[in-house]
Every structure is written in structure tokens, then in C-alpha cells.
């Protein structure tokens, strides 16, 4: 996704002189390098100064530019939080913050690089919108929306690279603020977003092997959340599953539980998230997810008797 993001920014930047990239200690490569070489006046590397990155982006937005702030997710959101809240959200500026390598993708770099609670933090800020596309194609649609239609601050959560195509055969088109059916069934629904959609896709296939009809849904827009869309999903499926690479509190799981409670929906709802703790374990991404209980085997083991 990060490579495709750079491709899209370069593509849009050739047509729109307002597009600019403000990065923090990220060495440009691929299309981002091309963007820097072709539009040097619109590319700023702030170094290890994320607070400055946000402040500069705010100033650019006040002058009519459409900045994209880009760095590793923990440093894009946590370190400059006050500047995001005051410089961007208080003034409602159309700046897009790209948090790359979200969740626990940077597994071996430890807790300093694990973005486990970013959805909770970003959605709590008044005026902030939150996007989490699930594959390069959906990321392209989200980035185009941010560049051409957005009028407020956005936090967009990305993976790294190598994400598979999950949306080319989807039922619905991408629409900001709306859930998107990638596959439609009648018995079980699986709702996820972003980097966790591949696990949700594999879980869909596993449940279908048991003879059940499964809906797979991309909730790419976390805020504003499509409450009515999710309410409809909960009502139309006897079994509902939410999977996300985020702590239990303040993420999509929490919001779906609220919707289920408010609508007095009694259909089964199972949520699978990261644990509410830092796991001191050294291993790759999949191994760390397994330690959190977010693996196909462990999830299916917990739900197989309910489906």
C-alpha cells in the first residue's frame, strides 16, 4: 500500500499544484522520489521533527495547499498529538496524515513502533476523520478522495507493502463514509478494515467450508462510521464477527458493540482484537499476531461451535 500511495500522490501532483508531501525522516523511494525531483518546492522532509511536520502542513493548508503528512504511524500520530489536535482539528484544515506500517507490522522493532491504539486516539479528536483502506486499490480510492473532495483533517492508516488484491471483485464500490460489501452472504458477517482484511478473507473461506454463507465487509471509513449500514448487517446475519488489529477499547469492535446495544440486537457478535497489553515477544508479524490470538486457527477454534 505504501508504494501505491506514493504512485497516487505523484500522479495527482502532476495535475494539481496544491498537492504537497511533508514527511518526517522518511527516505523517498520510487514515485515519492519522482515527486521530490519533479516538485522540489512541494516536498519537505522535516527529519525527526514530527511536531514541525504538522505545524508546517497546517501553514500550507492555510495558504490553500493540500498537504499529505507521511511517516511511520506511531510517529505520525502519537508524537505530534497536540499539534494535530490544535493546529489541524481545531482549525478544521484539510490535511491528510498518513500513518504507515500500522498495527504491529513492525513486529521486531518493538512497542515503540507498534500502533495498537491509533484508531481510538484519532477518532476521539473532534473533527478528525479516519480511513483504513484494505488493499492498494482501495487505498487509491481513499487517497483520491482526500486529495480532491476532503475538507477536514484525515488520519489514514496504511500497511507496508505486499498486500493482496481483495476488492477487484467486490459487490460495492468505494464510497467515503459507507461500509463496503466485498462478498455477500446470509448466515455470517465478517467486518474488518485495513491490514486485517486478509485475515478476515481467510476466515471467510474457512467458514464457507463448513457450508455457511458469509458476507465479508470492508469498514474502510472508521469515522464517520456508517452506523445504519452496520446496524443492517447485524440485523440480517445470525452470526457477526469483527476482526481488527487494534486494542479492545475505542476501536471498531467497541463501536459495533455500541450499535448492537443501542439497536437492541441480540444476534451473536464475536470480536477479535489485539490484547490490552504490550506483549514482550520477538518474532515476525504473523507470530506476534498469534500471540495476541489473532490467527486463523485461534479465531476459528473459538467460533466453530457457534456457526
Amino acid at each position: 500500500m505504501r508504494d501505491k500511495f506514493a504512485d497516487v500522490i505523484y500522479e495527482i501532483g502532476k495535475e494539481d499544484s496544491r498537492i504537497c508531501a511533508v514527511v518526517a525522516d522518511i527516505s523517498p523511494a520510487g514515485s515519492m522520489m519522482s515527486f521530490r525531483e519533479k516538485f522540489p518546492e512541494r516536498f519537505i522532509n522535516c527529519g525527526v521533527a514530527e511536531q514541525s511536520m504538522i505545524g508546517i502542513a497546517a501553514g500550507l493548508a492555510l495558504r490553500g495547499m493540500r498537504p499529505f503528512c507521511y511517516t511511520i504511524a506511531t510517529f505520525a500520530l502519537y508524537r505530534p498529538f497536540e499539534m494535530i489536535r490544535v493546529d489541524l482539528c481545531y482549525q478544521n484544515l484539510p490535511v491528510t496524515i498518513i500513518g504507515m506500517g500500522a498495527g504491529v507490522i513492525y513486529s521486531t522493532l518493538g512497542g515503540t513502533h507498534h500502533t495498537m491504539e491509533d484508531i481510538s486516539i484519532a477518532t476521539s479528536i473532534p473533527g478528525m476523520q479516519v480511513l483504513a483502506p484494505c488493499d492498494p486499490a482501495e487505498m487509491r480510492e481513499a487517497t483520491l478522495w482526500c486529495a480532491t473532495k476532503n475538507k477536514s483533517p484525515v488520519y489514514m492508516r496504511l500497511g507496508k507493502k505486499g498486500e493482496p488484491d481483495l476488492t477487484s471483485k467486490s459487490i460495492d464500490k468505494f464510497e467515503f463514509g459507507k461500509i463496503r460489501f466485498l462478498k455477500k452472504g446470509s448466515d455470517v458477517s465478517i467486518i474488518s478494515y485495513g491490514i486485517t482484511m486478509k485475515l478476515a478473507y481467510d476466515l471467510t473461506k474457512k467458514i464457507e467450508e463448513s457450508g455457511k454463507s458469509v458476507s465479508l465487509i470492508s469498514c474502510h471509513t472508521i469515522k464517520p462510521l456508517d452506523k445504519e449500514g452496520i446496524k443492517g448487517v447485524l440485523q440480517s446475519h445470525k452470526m457477526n464477527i469483527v476482526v481488527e488489529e487494534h486494542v479492545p477499547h475505542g476501536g471498531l469492535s467497541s463501536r459495533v458493540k455500541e450499535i448492537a446495544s443501542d439497536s437492541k440486537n441480540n444476534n451473536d457478535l464475536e470480536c477479535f482484537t489485539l490484547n490490552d497489553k504490550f506483549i514482550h515477544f520477538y518474532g515476525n508479524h504473523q507470530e506476534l499476531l498469534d500471540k495476541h490470538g489473532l490467527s486463523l486457527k485461534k479465531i476459528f477454534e473459538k467460533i466453530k461451535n457457534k456457526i
Side-chain angles (χ1 to χ4, degrees):
M1 274 196 276
R2 68 180 182 187
D3 294 340
K4 181 59 71 173
F5 164 73
D7 293 343
V8 176
I9 288 298
Y10 180 54
E11 177 186 323
I12 302 171
K14 288 188 287 187
E15 303 296 329
D16 189 343
S17 60
R18 298 175 302 162
I19 302 299
C20 51
V22 188
V23 306
D25 197 36
I26 292 291
S27 299
S31 294
M32 193 61 77
M33 175 67 80
S34 300
F35 187 99
R36 185 182 74 171
E37 292 174 349
K38 191 170 182 65
F39 314 114
E41 73 284 359
R42 289 192 269 140
F43 182 91
I44 303 171
N45 192 336
C46 300
V48 188
E50 291 82 1
Q51 294 93 336
S52 295
M53 176 182 71
I54 299 300
I56 290 168
L60 288 167
L62 286 169
R63 299 292 292 179
M65 304 295 284
R66 299 188 73 87
F68 284 77
C69 298
Y70 175 62
T71 192
I72 294 172
T74 47
F75 310 126
L77 183 65
Y78 301 165
R79 188 170 290 165
F81 174 79
E82 181 182 0
M83 290 72 190
I84 291 171
R85 180 178 181 270
V86 177
D87 293 357
L88 301 188
C89 295
Y90 184 71
Q91 300 186 93
N92 195 40
L93 298 177
V95 175
T96 302
I97 301 166
I98 304 294
M100 183 268 292
V104 293
I105 287 179
Y106 282 108
S107 53
T108 56
L109 296 184
T112 58
H113 285 62
H114 295 171
T115 320
M116 301 165 59
E117 60 282 274
D118 56 329
I119 299 296
S120 176
I121 291 170
T123 56
S124 69
I125 310 173
M128 178 65 85
Q129 303 164 107
V130 179
L131 286 164
C134 71
D135 70 356
E138 194 168 80
M139 184 283 307
R140 175 184 173 80
E141 295 293 332
T143 304
L144 285 170
W145 183 88
C146 290
T148 61
K149 298 180 180 180
N150 175 46
K151 297 180 180 179
S152 301
V154 174
Y155 171 67
M156 183 152 66
R157 188 189 219 234
L158 297 186
K160 286 173 67 179
K161 61 180 180 178
E163 294 87 358
D165 165 34
L166 298 171
T167 62
S168 62
K169 297 181 180 179
S170 63
I171 305 296
D172 300 325
K173 294 181 179 180
F174 173 89
E175 182 179 353
F176 177 80
K178 299 293 183 181
I179 59 172
R180 183 184 191 186
F181 279 85
L182 306 188
K183 184 179 179 62
K184 218 158 198 178
S186 55
D187 300 320
V188 180
S189 82
I190 301 176
I191 309 173
S192 190
Y193 60 86
I195 54 179
T196 323
M197 281 300 301
K198 176 56 168 65
L199 174 58
Y201 175 83
D202 292 341
L203 182 60
T204 298
K205 294 297 184 183
K206 185 72 172 175
I207 294 174
E208 286 177 334
E209 290 174 1
S210 66
K212 297 295 183 180
S213 177
V214 185
S215 291
L216 178 61
I217 298 148
S218 171
C219 188
H220 49 70
T221 306
I222 309 296
K223 183 183 176 184
L225 189 63
D226 185 2
K227 296 180 182 179
E228 288 302 313
I230 292 174
K231 180 180 176 180
V233 170
L234 297 176
Q235 290 174 340
S236 59
H237 297 78
K238 293 181 179 179
M239 176 71 177
N240 298 279
I241 300 167
V242 179
V243 185
E244 63 177 330
E245 196 168 323
H246 188 274
V247 293
H249 311 293
L252 180 62
S253 297
S254 296
R255 298 302 309 281
V256 173
K257 288 177 181 177
E258 288 177 11
I259 293 168
S261 176
D262 290 346
S263 62
K264 296 179 173 54
N265 187 286
N266 294 318
N267 288 339
D268 285 341
L269 174 60
E270 295 288 336
C271 297
F272 296 90
T273 70
L274 298 175
N275 291 333
D276 185 25
K277 64 180 178 180
F278 293 104
I279 294 181
H280 296 263
F281 167 80
Y282 186 86
N284 64 35
H285 185 209
Q286 296 304 317
E287 290 171 335
L288 184 53
L289 287 179
D290 184 69
K291 291 290 183 180
H292 279 278
L294 276 183
S295 66
L296 179 62
K297 181 180 179 180
K298 289 184 176 178
I299 292 174
F300 188 73
E301 189 66 28
K302 290 184 178 181
I303 65 171
K304 65 181 182 181
N305 294 326
K306 296 184 178 182
I307 58 175

